[in-house]
Amino acid sequence: DIQMTQSPSSLSASVGDRVTITCRASQSISTYLNWYQQKPGKAPKLLIFAASTLQGGVPSRFSGSRSGTDFTITITSLQPEDFATYYCQESYMAPYTFGQGTKLEIK
Amino acid sequence: QVLLQESGPGLVKPSQTLSLTCSVSGVSISSGTYYWSWLRQPAGTTLEWLGRVSSTGGINYRPSLNSRVTVSLDTSKNHFSLDLRSVTAADTAVYYCARYFSGWDSDYFDYWGQGILVTVSS
């Protein structure tokens, strides 16, 4: 299985801050990397697919990038509704592993 | 608008079979572009993909569960199902159904059900 190592596991930030979350794949996955946002008691929501393509309706303050097997999601100018848990997920091969998650909390 | 909704028992006894159904509206599950998938999330942990099926006959399962899991489609009812056999307490989780889009250069879960908590306990 491909291992997805996500960091940090938690992050405190303030409204208006810029934050970056990183995900490293254990092998090459090209751009088969997606990012999801999950709020407590809710299903995950697709934010970014193919490493850097914003899903429709997702605000432009979210962006994704890739450097080799390292992937990042950046949120510029954090809004109150952005405080949630974020997961990366590889879609290169089954079992389509998710990262362990990054809980973004209000400082 | 694409909507998915899980249904099934919230409590299953150990060694029995966990059976869930996902009702889909707003799109036909007969569309060959998509795989219809099941995932789960134990409390406080990450998501785990269990299996998927497409109307064109493609079926894949999580290798570690391969002998216990079956995913099937019922195109007449526009729903799909999960059976997980011989459950233990370790199978306690929120179970999600989701649509998996498979394209030329990108694959992703784009629509999800709200999730259903299934507890395995006697």
Side-chain angles (χ1 to χ4, degrees), chain B residues 5 9 13-14 21 24 26 40 43-44 46 49 66-68 83-84 96 101 108 111 115 121:
Chain B
Q5 176 74 57
K13 289 181 167 50
T21 296
V24 180
R40 69 183 180 184
T46 190
W49 171 78
N66 192 52
S67 63
R68 295 201 292 135
D83 285 328
L84 182 63
Y96 293 100
F101 172 80
Y108 46 83
Y111 287 95
S121 175

Side-chain angles (χ1 to χ4, degrees), chain A residues 3-95:
Chain A
Q3 306 304 311
M4 303 302 296
T5 303
Q6 192 173 335
S7 61
S9 57
S10 63
L11 180 58
S12 293
S14 301
V15 173
D17 283 355
R18 178 179 188 270
V19 299
T20 297
I21 299 166
T22 299
C23 192
R24 172 170 290 175
S26 60
Q27 67 178 71
S28 175
I29 58 171
S30 185
T31 58
Y32 286 88
L33 189 284
N34 308 312
W35 290 98
Y36 301 83
Q37 176 194 67
Q38 187 178 34
K39 296 183 178 179
K42 301 294 187 182
K45 172 188 174 183
L46 177 67
L47 297 177
I48 291 169
F49 62 91
S52 61
T53 303
L54 225 56
Q55 174 70 334
V58 174
S60 59
R61 63 180 180 272
F62 291 89
S63 64
S65 66
R66 170 205 177 196
S67 177
T69 58
D70 291 340
F71 299 84
T72 61
I73 181 172
T74 297
I75 313 170
T76 57
S77 189
L78 273 171
Q79 297 301 300
E81 60 267 28
D82 299 336
F83 292 93
T85 300
Y86 293 83
Y87 294 95
C88 61
Q89 176 246 331
E90 62 83 10
S91 54
Y92 187 76
M93 66 169 63

Side-chain angles (χ1 to χ4, degrees), chain B residues 24-88:
Chain B
V24 180
S25 59
V27 64
S28 170
I29 63 172
S30 298
S31 170
T33 308
Y34 308 111
Y35 283 86
W36 302 95
S37 302
W38 288 95
L39 304 95
R40 69 183 180 184
Q41 185 173 34
T45 70
T46 190
L47 296 135
E48 181 178 76
W49 171 78
L50 304 179
R52 67 178 193 175
V53 61
S54 78
S55 62
T56 56
I59 299 178
N60 305 94
Y61 297 125
R62 186 176 193 85
S64 61
L65 296 175
N66 192 52
S67 63
R68 295 201 292 135
V69 66
T70 301
V71 179
S72 57
L73 292 179
D74 186 335
T75 55
S76 67
K77 296 180 180 178
N78 213 46
H79 73 206
F80 62 106
S81 301
L82 169 73
D83 285 328
L84 182 63
R85 296 173 289 279
S86 305
V87 297
T88 69

Side-chain angles (χ1 to χ4, degrees), chain B residues 1-20:
Chain B
Q1 183 184 7
V2 177
L3 293 173
L4 290 80
Q5 176 74 57
E6 304 89 350
S7 60
L11 181 64
V12 180
K13 289 181 167 50
S15 80
Q16 294 192 339
T17 297
L18 181 162
S19 295
L20 298 174

